[in-house]
């Protein structure tokens, strides 16, 4: 491993690996999900770094230093591997968190798709916006809440379950009333019999 990262190879790794990690860190502030495996993160970082190169050349190719000048100016490297991926990661994460991103761009900037390991995980992945959920258990208990942008679904045992950002009481007449004071909760899906989804009226 000695000599793997040297002054001669630093610029290569800075250009083709670091921007992806900067993008992922910025995006993670707005997009919640399970942490991918290290190998998946590395592959996604490389892909995003290459995309960052294309964006940088398209936007700032006209300010590139003279090819006859050895090395890359420090300000250009900072712009290319830190500022640009941080800005694009923040912008894309903000748009993604509000479902403003078309499916084609989702696949472009989130190239790795985590394998669905359960039907409940698949159901939550297909939601196109906030939804009310009713979790029914085998003993007859029900938990009702809102699964929105601040909520999370995970099947990663033993800590898997649902984090619902808002809980509700549901009367026998079907009237939903928010708890007072407002409550959020993590709930285990162990023993769950069903999960129902209700899209809010008007989207």
């Amino acid at each position: 491993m000695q000599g793997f990262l040297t002054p001669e190879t630093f610029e290569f790794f800075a250009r083709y690996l670091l921007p992806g990690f900067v993008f992922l860190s910025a995006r993670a502030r707005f997009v919640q999900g399970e942490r991918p495996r290290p190998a998946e993160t590395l592959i996604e970082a490389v892909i995003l770094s290459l995309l960052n190169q294309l964006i940088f050349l398209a936007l700032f190719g006209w300010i590139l230093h003279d090819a006859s000048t050895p090395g890359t100016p420090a300000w250009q490297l900072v712009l290319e591997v830190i500022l640009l991926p941080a800005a694009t990661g923040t912008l894309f994460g903000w748009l993604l968190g509000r479902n403003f991103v078309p499916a084609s761009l989702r696949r472009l900037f989130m190239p790795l798709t985590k394998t669905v390991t359960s039907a409940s995980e698949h159901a939550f992945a297909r939601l196109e916006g906030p939804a009310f959920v009713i979790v029914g258990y085998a003993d007859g208990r029900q938990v009702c809440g809102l699964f929105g942008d601040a909520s999370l679904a995970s099947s990663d045992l033993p800590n898997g379950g649902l984090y619902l950002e808002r809980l509700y009481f549901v009367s026998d007449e079907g009237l939903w009333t928010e708890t007072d004071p407002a409550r959020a909760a993590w709930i285990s899906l162990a023993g769950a019999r069903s999960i129902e989804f209700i899209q809010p009226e008007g989207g």
Side-chain angles (χ1 to χ4, degrees), residues 20 23-24 27 31 36 39-52 92 96 101-115:
F23 183 99
L24 292 173
R27 190 186 67 187
V31 180
E40 294 176 341
T41 301
L42 181 61
I43 295 172
E44 188 172 4
V46 171
I47 294 172
L48 291 171
S49 295
L50 293 174
L51 291 173
N52 181 75
F92 187 80
L96 184 65
V101 180
S104 58
L105 287 181
R106 279 178 182 264
R107 293 182 180 180
L108 180 65
F109 283 96
M110 298 186 72
L112 295 181
T113 301
K114 185 178 182 298
T115 302

Side-chain angles (χ1 to χ4, degrees), residues 11 14-16 19-20 23 47-66 71-88 109:
E11 191 170 315
R15 278 204 168 100
Y16 297 104
F23 183 99
I47 294 172
L48 291 171
S49 295
L50 293 174
L51 291 173
N52 181 75
Q53 277 288 300
L54 295 176
I55 295 173
F56 177 79
L57 292 175
L59 295 178
F60 304 107
W62 58 276
I63 63 172
L64 293 178
H65 69 287
D66 188 343
T72 302
W75 64 266
Q76 180 183 317
L77 204 58
V78 170
L79 173 64
E80 184 177 346
V81 305
I82 297 180
L83 298 182
L84 179 60
T88 54
F109 283 96

Side-chain angles (χ1 to χ4, degrees), residues 145-182:
L146 175 68
F147 188 87
D149 294 336
S151 300
L152 181 66
S154 171
S155 61
D156 184 23
L157 299 178
N159 298 317
L162 291 181
Y163 172 75
L164 298 177
E165 61 191 71
R166 198 177 304 165
L167 294 182
Y168 289 86
F169 293 117
V170 181
S171 67
D172 295 337
E173 294 76 24
L175 179 64
W176 287 56
T177 306
E178 187 175 353
T179 59
D180 186 18

Side-chain angles (χ1 to χ4, degrees), residues 26-37:
R27 190 186 67 187
R29 298 177 62 89
F30 301 92
V31 180
Q32 299 184 12
E34 294 185 36
R35 185 182 297 274
R37 291 189 293 269

Side-chain angles (χ1 to χ4, degrees), residues 117-199:
T117 57
S118 68
S120 61
E121 189 175 278
H122 175 69
F124 282 101
R126 289 180 59 85
L127 289 178
E128 297 182 353
F132 295 105
V133 297
I134 303 174
V135 182
Y137 291 87
D139 59 6
R141 292 178 298 125
Q142 286 187 336
V143 177
C144 304
L146 175 68
F147 188 87
D149 294 336
S151 300
L152 181 66
S154 171
S155 61
D156 184 23
L157 299 178
N159 298 317
L162 291 181
Y163 172 75
L164 298 177
E165 61 191 71
R166 198 177 304 165
L167 294 182
Y168 289 86
F169 293 117
V170 181
S171 67
D172 295 337
E173 294 76 24
L175 179 64
W176 287 56
T177 306
E178 187 175 353
T179 59
D180 186 18
R183 296 179 184 176
W186 171 86
I187 60 173
S188 172
L189 293 181
R193 182 183 59 188
S194 64
I195 303 176
E196 300 176 56
F197 300 90
I198 303 173
Q199 294 291 341

